[in-house]
Amino acid sequence: MVEGGMKCIRVLLFAFNVLFTLIGIGLIAGGAYVQINLKGYSEIIGGQFSAAAVFLIILGVFIFMIAAFGCCGAYKENYCCIMTFAGILVIIFICEMAAGIAGFIYKDKVDEQISKLMKESIKDGKALDDWNKVQQEFKCCGVNSSKDWETSANASFPDSCCSDGGKSPSCIHYDVGCYTELKEFVKDKIVVIGGIGVGFAVIQIIGILFACCLGRAVKKEYEVV
């Protein structure tokens, strides 16, 4: 009976490690998605918003590698290996929860940070390529209006500020600023990071339970022998 129960747990742990591998791939894919989407605006909003995305990618690679370790422990029924695997899962669980919670908390601080960074980038005039991309994509001009460009070191409006792309002699500026659109865009990506982190962390609880159950069963078998 004990032998059959342990075999069942071992199979379940194997199955979880397949899921664990998919979780690793999911973290890498999710982190890469956010990182790619924010990359084009890094000179405007800074790199701190994509730091959590990079963290998820690194964590995903680590998880992908750890899955093999878990399979090895289950196959050999090695108590030390299984419990080490469970301990690593707990650490990863904490890291994912921390990344997820930090993402949701930081979402509420985006408004102030984005506005400040956008105004600074217009003033120093060094992020013109990123601004052209933002203004063309969201059909907007400046932070709150086209008047923001009057404070720019370039002292001129980029063609991307014009509704016709600067093709005519007279530039008709977009009548909305980019702050609201870019702020919501960044917030959406932060929510993705938070959702991925918390969601996958909750799934990992199953793996931790399987590993602990198998480890306890293996230990009991050794004690009987």
Side-chain angles (χ1 to χ4, degrees):
M1 184 73 178
V2 174
E3 177 69 26
M6 189 163 67
K7 184 178 180 180
C8 180
I9 296 172
R10 185 169 66 244
V11 171
L12 289 173
L13 187 57
F14 266 120
F16 172 77
N17 273 284
V18 173
L19 177 62
F20 200 43
T21 301
L22 295 176
I23 288 175
I25 295 173
L27 287 172
I28 295 170
Y33 164 77
V34 174
Q35 179 71 358
I36 290 169
N37 276 269
L38 294 180
K39 188 176 181 181
Y41 313 108
S42 58
E43 290 188 34
I44 297 177
I45 61 175
Q48 65 268 45
F49 292 101
S50 61
V54 174
F55 176 74
L56 284 184
I57 293 172
I58 294 172
L59 197 60
V61 172
F62 184 64
I63 285 174
F64 192 82
M65 296 168 62
I66 291 301
F69 185 78
C71 287
C72 180
Y75 177 74
K76 293 185 176 181
E77 296 183 3
N78 184 294
Y79 176 77
C80 183
C81 190
I82 292 169
M83 296 314 293
T84 300
F85 173 69
I88 293 173
L89 284 187
V90 171
I91 293 172
I92 293 174
F93 168 80
I94 293 171
C95 290
E96 285 178 342
M97 285 296 290
I101 292 171
F104 285 119
I105 292 175
Y106 201 63
K107 179 176 71 72
D108 297 328
K109 298 181 180 180
V110 167
D111 294 17
E112 183 181 344
Q113 285 290 320
I114 289 289
S115 178
K116 180 182 176 182
L117 291 167
M118 289 178 75
K119 288 176 180 177
E120 288 176 354
S121 65
I122 274 191
K123 191 172 182 180
D124 62 32
K126 295 179 180 178
L128 192 56
D129 288 343
D130 281 9
W131 268 106
N132 283 332
K133 180 178 179 180
V134 169
Q135 292 178 155
Q136 288 171 351
E137 186 170 337
F138 296 118
K139 301 189 183 306
C140 55
C141 183
V143 182
N144 297 304
S145 72
S146 59
K147 291 182 179 180
D148 292 313
W149 282 103
E150 295 175 5
T151 64
S152 172
N154 298 322
S156 62
F157 298 97
D159 289 341
S160 58
C161 232
C162 307
S163 56
D164 63 356
K167 295 178 181 178
S168 63
S170 58
C171 173
I172 301 175
H173 305 137
Y174 290 117
D175 57 3
V176 293
C178 301
Y179 166 67
T180 301
E181 293 292 338
L182 190 57
K183 176 190 68 175
E184 293 305 318
F185 178 82
V186 173
K187 274 187 175 183
D188 288 344
K189 301 304 172 286
I190 291 177
V191 169
V192 169
I193 292 174
I196 290 173
V198 173
F200 285 162
V202 171
I203 294 173
Q204 277 176 223
I205 295 175
I206 301 171
I208 295 170
L209 292 174
F210 284 162
C212 289
C213 288
L214 181 59
R216 187 173 64 177
V218 169
K219 187 177 181 180
K220 281 184 178 181
E221 185 180 27
Y222 286 156
E223 288 174 350
V224 171
V225 174

